[in-house]
Amino acid sequence: MKKGFVRGLILGALVVLGLGTASLSSASAHGLHHRMMKHMIMHGGPIPFYLLNQDRLKLSRDQVRSLLDLKESFRKKAVMEKAEIHVLRIDIMARMHHRKIDTAKIDTDLDKIFDHKRALMKDFVETVARARAVLTPVQYERAGKLWRAMILAHHGMDHHPR
């Protein structure tokens, strides 16, 4: 057996048994925040937050319906863009297995991937702008306060020293 495999097996066992470190490394924390941001983007940005707090924000039925429509529309577009990107990645990897790699074709596919990512981000920005336009100025201000309170609670900074 190789040393690396045994070391990995032991470390894995320690983590499973709960003997690993309790805190995340900064790289792991960055990765976690990156995944959370991707999740937020794929689910329509702040829209789920607005909907979860619809009572506190006093959203009308029409506002809720508009936000749900925006969320659903964005998610459908995001799924399609991500699928196109995935297919292009599969094609690129298949081309990479040839002895002579057609770099021009791969470059074209890479450009297409970036086009899909750009379209996804532009649609995300447009969706967030439209979602915020659904809220009244008072509701938007209240949502900001709720968001800050949630973030402070999440990071354990909501407790005041006595």
Side-chain angles (χ1 to χ4, degrees), residues 22-46:
S23 63
L24 292 173
S25 69
S26 61
S28 295
H30 176 74
L32 178 63
H33 281 279
H34 180 72
R35 284 189 300 281
M36 287 170 46
M37 192 57 133
K38 266 179 87 171
H39 178 80
M40 186 174 165
I41 290 171
M42 286 302 294
H43 292 278

PDB file of all heavy atoms in Angstrom, residues 22-46:
ATOM      1  N   ALA A  22     -12.583  21.267  14.392  1.00  0.00           N
ATOM      2  CA  ALA A  22     -13.952  21.778  14.387  1.00  0.00           C
ATOM      3  C   ALA A  22     -14.115  22.970  13.469  1.00  0.00           C
ATOM      4  O   ALA A  22     -15.210  23.286  13.050  1.00  0.00           O
ATOM      5  CB  ALA A  22     -14.358  22.167  15.805  1.00  0.00           C
ATOM      6  N   SER A  23     -13.033  23.656  13.174  1.00  0.00           N
ATOM      7  CA  SER A  23     -13.152  24.851  12.337  1.00  0.00           C
ATOM      8  C   SER A  23     -12.655  24.563  10.933  1.00  0.00           C
ATOM      9  O   SER A  23     -11.854  23.665  10.714  1.00  0.00           O
ATOM     10  CB  SER A  23     -12.346  26.006  12.947  1.00  0.00           C
ATOM     11  OG  SER A  23     -10.980  25.663  12.959  1.00  0.00           O
ATOM     12  N   LEU A  24     -13.134  25.365   9.996  1.00  0.00           N
ATOM     13  CA  LEU A  24     -12.722  25.234   8.615  1.00  0.00           C
ATOM     14  C   LEU A  24     -11.448  26.027   8.371  1.00  0.00           C
ATOM     15  O   LEU A  24     -11.250  27.085   8.963  1.00  0.00           O
ATOM     16  CB  LEU A  24     -13.811  25.786   7.692  1.00  0.00           C
ATOM     17  CG  LEU A  24     -15.114  25.014   7.624  1.00  0.00           C
ATOM     18  CD1 LEU A  24     -16.124  25.809   6.807  1.00  0.00           C
ATOM     19  CD2 LEU A  24     -14.916  23.657   7.023  1.00  0.00           C
ATOM     20  N   SER A  25     -10.601  25.531   7.483  1.00  0.00           N
ATOM     21  CA  SER A  25      -9.453  26.335   7.069  1.00  0.00           C
ATOM     22  C   SER A  25      -9.976  27.491   6.230  1.00  0.00           C
ATOM     23  O   SER A  25     -11.106  27.469   5.753  1.00  0.00           O
ATOM     24  CB  SER A  25      -8.486  25.486   6.247  1.00  0.00           C
ATOM     25  OG  SER A  25      -9.068  25.168   5.000  1.00  0.00           O
ATOM     26  N   SER A  26      -9.154  28.515   6.032  1.00  0.00           N
ATOM     27  CA  SER A  26      -9.627  29.657   5.256  1.00  0.00           C
ATOM     28  C   SER A  26      -9.950  29.244   3.825  1.00  0.00           C
ATOM     29  O   SER A  26     -10.879  29.759   3.226  1.00  0.00           O
ATOM     30  CB  SER A  26      -8.605  30.792   5.280  1.00  0.00           C
ATOM     31  OG  SER A  26      -7.391  30.365   4.699  1.00  0.00           O
ATOM     32  N   ALA A  27      -9.182  28.300   3.270  1.00  0.00           N
ATOM     33  CA  ALA A  27      -9.468  27.828   1.912  1.00  0.00           C
ATOM     34  C   ALA A  27     -10.810  27.100   1.861  1.00  0.00           C
ATOM     35  O   ALA A  27     -11.594  27.292   0.941  1.00  0.00           O
ATOM     36  CB  ALA A  27      -8.351  26.920   1.423  1.00  0.00           C
ATOM     37  N   SER A  28     -11.087  26.287   2.872  1.00  0.00           N
ATOM     38  CA  SER A  28     -12.371  25.577   2.919  1.00  0.00           C
ATOM     39  C   SER A  28     -13.521  26.550   3.100  1.00  0.00           C
ATOM     40  O   SER A  28     -14.571  26.404   2.495  1.00  0.00           O
ATOM     41  CB  SER A  28     -12.383  24.566   4.062  1.00  0.00           C
ATOM     42  OG  SER A  28     -11.439  23.554   3.838  1.00  0.00           O
ATOM     43  N   ALA A  29     -13.304  27.546   3.955  1.00  0.00           N
ATOM     44  CA  ALA A  29     -14.348  28.549   4.175  1.00  0.00           C
ATOM     45  C   ALA A  29     -14.622  29.314   2.890  1.00  0.00           C
ATOM     46  O   ALA A  29     -15.778  29.581   2.556  1.00  0.00           O
ATOM     47  CB  ALA A  29     -13.931  29.510   5.290  1.00  0.00           C
ATOM     48  N   HIS A  30     -13.554  29.656   2.158  1.00  0.00           N
ATOM     49  CA  HIS A  30     -13.734  30.353   0.887  1.00  0.00           C
ATOM     50  C   HIS A  30     -14.527  29.480  -0.081  1.00  0.00           C
ATOM     51  O   HIS A  30     -15.437  29.959  -0.747  1.00  0.00           O
ATOM     52  CB  HIS A  30     -12.382  30.734   0.283  1.00  0.00           C
ATOM     53  CG  HIS A  30     -12.504  31.375  -1.065  1.00  0.00           C
ATOM     54  ND1 HIS A  30     -12.953  32.673  -1.216  1.00  0.00           N
ATOM     55  CD2 HIS A  30     -12.284  30.893  -2.309  1.00  0.00           C
ATOM     56  CE1 HIS A  30     -12.990  32.965  -2.503  1.00  0.00           C
ATOM     57  NE2 HIS A  30     -12.584  31.900  -3.185  1.00  0.00           N
ATOM     58  N   GLY A  31     -14.196  28.193  -0.125  1.00  0.00           N
ATOM     59  CA  GLY A  31     -14.925  27.268  -0.992  1.00  0.00           C
ATOM     60  C   GLY A  31     -16.384  27.158  -0.601  1.00  0.00           C
ATOM     61  O   GLY A  31     -17.267  27.104  -1.452  1.00  0.00           O
ATOM     62  N   LEU A  32     -16.646  27.146   0.705  1.00  0.00           N
ATOM     63  CA  LEU A  32     -18.017  27.078   1.196  1.00  0.00           C
ATOM     64  C   LEU A  32     -18.796  28.319   0.775  1.00  0.00           C
ATOM     65  O   LEU A  32     -19.915  28.223   0.285  1.00  0.00           O
ATOM     66  CB  LEU A  32     -18.028  26.936   2.713  1.00  0.00           C
ATOM     67  CG  LEU A  32     -19.399  26.908   3.386  1.00  0.00           C
ATOM     68  CD1 LEU A  32     -20.192  25.689   2.919  1.00  0.00           C
ATOM     69  CD2 LEU A  32     -19.258  26.904   4.893  1.00  0.00           C
ATOM     70  N   HIS A  33     -18.197  29.495   0.944  1.00  0.00           N
ATOM     71  CA  HIS A  33     -18.871  30.723   0.536  1.00  0.00           C
ATOM     72  C   HIS A  33     -19.077  30.746  -0.975  1.00  0.00           C
ATOM     73  O   HIS A  33     -20.105  31.223  -1.449  1.00  0.00           O
ATOM     74  CB  HIS A  33     -18.087  31.956   1.001  1.00  0.00           C
ATOM     75  CG  HIS A  33     -18.304  32.256   2.448  1.00  0.00           C
ATOM     76  ND1 HIS A  33     -19.402  32.933   2.902  1.00  0.00           N
ATOM     77  CD2 HIS A  33     -17.574  31.937   3.544  1.00  0.00           C
ATOM     78  CE1 HIS A  33     -19.348  33.028   4.221  1.00  0.00           C
ATOM     79  NE2 HIS A  33     -18.246  32.430   4.636  1.00  0.00           N
ATOM     80  N   HIS A  34     -18.117  30.209  -1.731  1.00  0.00           N
ATOM     81  CA  HIS A  34     -18.256  30.152  -3.183  1.00  0.00           C
ATOM     82  C   HIS A  34     -19.444  29.272  -3.563  1.00  0.00           C
ATOM     83  O   HIS A  34     -20.254  29.638  -4.410  1.00  0.00           O
ATOM     84  CB  HIS A  34     -16.964  29.622  -3.807  1.00  0.00           C
ATOM     85  CG  HIS A  34     -16.997  29.532  -5.290  1.00  0.00           C
ATOM     86  ND1 HIS A  34     -16.954  30.649  -6.100  1.00  0.00           N
ATOM     87  CD2 HIS A  34     -17.090  28.465  -6.113  1.00  0.00           C
ATOM     88  CE1 HIS A  34     -17.014  30.267  -7.362  1.00  0.00           C
ATOM     89  NE2 HIS A  34     -17.097  28.946  -7.394  1.00  0.00           N
ATOM     90  N   ARG A  35     -19.558  28.119  -2.920  1.00  0.00           N
ATOM     91  CA  ARG A  35     -20.685  27.218  -3.204  1.00  0.00           C
ATOM     92  C   ARG A  35     -22.012  27.856  -2.787  1.00  0.00           C
ATOM     93  O   ARG A  35     -23.015  27.709  -3.474  1.00  0.00           O
ATOM     94  CB  ARG A  35     -20.481  25.877  -2.499  1.00  0.00           C
ATOM     95  CG  ARG A  35     -19.453  24.998  -3.184  1.00  0.00           C
ATOM     96  CD  ARG A  35     -19.412  23.597  -2.600  1.00  0.00           C
ATOM     97  NE  ARG A  35     -19.092  23.541  -1.196  1.00  0.00           N
ATOM     98  CZ  ARG A  35     -17.880  23.649  -0.671  1.00  0.00           C
ATOM     99  NH1 ARG A  35     -16.848  23.821  -1.458  1.00  0.00           N
ATOM    100  NH2 ARG A  35     -17.687  23.565   0.633  1.00  0.00           N
ATOM    101  N   MET A  36     -22.004  28.577  -1.654  1.00  0.00           N
ATOM    102  CA  MET A  36     -23.225  29.248  -1.217  1.00  0.00           C
ATOM    103  C   MET A  36     -23.636  30.317  -2.226  1.00  0.00           C
ATOM    104  O   MET A  36     -24.817  30.484  -2.518  1.00  0.00           O
ATOM    105  CB  MET A  36     -23.033  29.867   0.169  1.00  0.00           C
ATOM    106  CG  MET A  36     -23.003  28.835   1.272  1.00  0.00           C
ATOM    107  SD  MET A  36     -22.510  29.452   2.904  1.00  0.00           S
ATOM    108  CE  MET A  36     -23.442  30.932   3.082  1.00  0.00           C
ATOM    109  N   MET A  37     -22.657  31.036  -2.769  1.00  0.00           N
ATOM    110  CA  MET A  37     -22.950  32.072  -3.751  1.00  0.00           C
ATOM    111  C   MET A  37     -23.509  31.442  -5.031  1.00  0.00           C
ATOM    112  O   MET A  37     -24.463  31.954  -5.606  1.00  0.00           O
ATOM    113  CB  MET A  37     -21.694  32.885  -4.047  1.00  0.00           C
ATOM    114  CG  MET A  37     -21.991  34.122  -4.830  1.00  0.00           C
ATOM    115  SD  MET A  37     -23.191  35.135  -3.967  1.00  0.00           S
ATOM    116  CE  MET A  37     -22.430  36.684  -4.087  1.00  0.00           C
ATOM    117  N   LYS A  38     -22.906  30.331  -5.470  1.00  0.00           N
ATOM    118  CA  LYS A  38     -23.430  29.632  -6.641  1.00  0.00           C
ATOM    119  C   LYS A  38     -24.863  29.187  -6.403  1.00  0.00           C
ATOM    120  O   LYS A  38     -25.719  29.318  -7.271  1.00  0.00           O
ATOM    121  CB  LYS A  38     -22.557  28.413  -6.964  1.00  0.00           C
ATOM    122  CG  LYS A  38     -21.481  28.665  -7.968  1.00  0.00           C
ATOM    123  CD  LYS A  38     -20.666  27.426  -8.207  1.00  0.00           C
ATOM    124  CE  LYS A  38     -21.261  26.555  -9.261  1.00  0.00           C
ATOM    125  NZ  LYS A  38     -20.380  25.457  -9.672  1.00  0.00           N
ATOM    126  N   HIS A  39     -25.122  28.667  -5.209  1.00  0.00           N
ATOM    127  CA  HIS A  39     -26.472  28.230  -4.866  1.00  0.00           C
ATOM    128  C   HIS A  39     -27.432  29.418  -4.908  1.00  0.00           C
ATOM    129  O   HIS A  39     -28.532  29.316  -5.450  1.00  0.00           O
ATOM    130  CB  HIS A  39     -26.479  27.581  -3.476  1.00  0.00           C
ATOM    131  CG  HIS A  39     -27.823  27.141  -3.033  1.00  0.00           C
ATOM    132  ND1 HIS A  39     -28.385  25.960  -3.471  1.00  0.00           N
ATOM    133  CD2 HIS A  39     -28.738  27.712  -2.212  1.00  0.00           C
ATOM    134  CE1 HIS A  39     -29.589  25.838  -2.935  1.00  0.00           C
ATOM    135  NE2 HIS A  39     -29.819  26.882  -2.160  1.00  0.00           N
ATOM    136  N   MET A  40     -26.990  30.537  -4.346  1.00  0.00           N
ATOM    137  CA  MET A  40     -27.835  31.726  -4.330  1.00  0.00           C
ATOM    138  C   MET A  40     -28.141  32.184  -5.755  1.00  0.00           C
ATOM    139  O   MET A  40     -29.276  32.540  -6.071  1.00  0.00           O
ATOM    140  CB  MET A  40     -27.145  32.846  -3.547  1.00  0.00           C
ATOM    141  CG  MET A  40     -27.990  34.063  -3.349  1.00  0.00           C
ATOM    142  SD  MET A  40     -27.115  35.207  -2.283  1.00  0.00           S
ATOM    143  CE  MET A  40     -28.062  36.673  -2.580  1.00  0.00           C
ATOM    144  N   ILE A  41     -27.139  32.175  -6.611  1.00  0.00           N
ATOM    145  CA  ILE A  41     -27.342  32.594  -7.990  1.00  0.00           C
ATOM    146  C   ILE A  41     -28.311  31.651  -8.695  1.00  0.00           C
ATOM    147  O   ILE A  41     -29.240  32.091  -9.364  1.00  0.00           O
ATOM    148  CB  ILE A  41     -25.998  32.681  -8.748  1.00  0.00           C
ATOM    149  CG1 ILE A  41     -25.195  33.867  -8.225  1.00  0.00           C
ATOM    150  CG2 ILE A  41     -26.215  32.776 -10.253  1.00  0.00           C
ATOM    151  CD1 ILE A  41     -23.768  33.922  -8.735  1.00  0.00           C
ATOM    152  N   MET A  42     -28.117  30.358  -8.526  1.00  0.00           N
ATOM    153  CA  MET A  42     -28.959  29.392  -9.228  1.00  0.00           C
ATOM    154  C   MET A  42     -30.416  29.434  -8.762  1.00  0.00           C
ATOM    155  O   MET A  42     -31.300  28.972  -9.458  1.00  0.00           O
ATOM    156  CB  MET A  42     -28.406  27.975  -9.058  1.00  0.00           C
ATOM    157  CG  MET A  42     -27.174  27.707  -9.878  1.00  0.00           C
ATOM    158  SD  MET A  42     -27.435  27.957 -11.643  1.00  0.00           S
ATOM    159  CE  MET A  42     -28.599  26.657 -12.003  1.00  0.00           C
ATOM    160  N   HIS A  43     -30.667  29.968  -7.582  1.00  0.00           N
ATOM    161  CA  HIS A  43     -32.032  29.988  -7.074  1.00  0.00           C
ATOM    162  C   HIS A  43     -32.660  31.377  -7.091  1.00  0.00           C
ATOM    163  O   HIS A  43     -33.646  31.622  -6.409  1.00  0.00           O
ATOM    164  CB  HIS A  43     -32.073  29.380  -5.673  1.00  0.00           C
ATOM    165  CG  HIS A  43     -31.783  27.914  -5.699  1.00  0.00           C
ATOM    166  ND1 HIS A  43     -32.734  26.968  -5.995  1.00  0.00           N
ATOM    167  CD2 HIS A  43     -30.619  27.228  -5.532  1.00  0.00           C
ATOM    168  CE1 HIS A  43     -32.191  25.769  -5.990  1.00  0.00           C
ATOM    169  NE2 HIS A  43     -30.910  25.902  -5.709  1.00  0.00           N
ATOM    170  N   GLY A  44     -32.083  32.288  -7.877  1.00  0.00           N
ATOM    171  CA  GLY A  44     -32.725  33.587  -8.069  1.00  0.00           C
ATOM    172  C   GLY A  44     -32.308  34.665  -7.103  1.00  0.00           C
ATOM    173  O   GLY A  44     -33.080  35.585  -6.835  1.00  0.00           O
ATOM    174  N   GLY A  45     -31.105  34.559  -6.573  1.00  0.00           N
ATOM    175  CA  GLY A  45     -30.581  35.622  -5.723  1.00  0.00           C
ATOM    176  C   GLY A  45     -31.405  35.838  -4.467  1.00  0.00           C
ATOM    177  O   GLY A  45     -31.666  34.896  -3.719  1.00  0.00           O
ATOM    178  N   PRO A  46     -31.845  37.064  -4.225  1.00  0.00           N
ATOM    179  CA  PRO A  46     -32.551  37.373  -2.980  1.00  0.00           C
ATOM    180  C   PRO A  46     -34.016  36.940  -2.973  1.00  0.00           C
ATOM    181  O   PRO A  46     -34.665  37.046  -1.934  1.00  0.00           O
ATOM    182  CB  PRO A  46     -32.441  38.900  -2.901  1.00  0.00           C
ATOM    183  CG  PRO A  46     -32.414  39.329  -4.331  1.00  0.00           C
ATOM    184  CD  PRO A  46     -31.624  38.254  -5.039  1.00  0.00           C
TER     185      PRO A  46
END
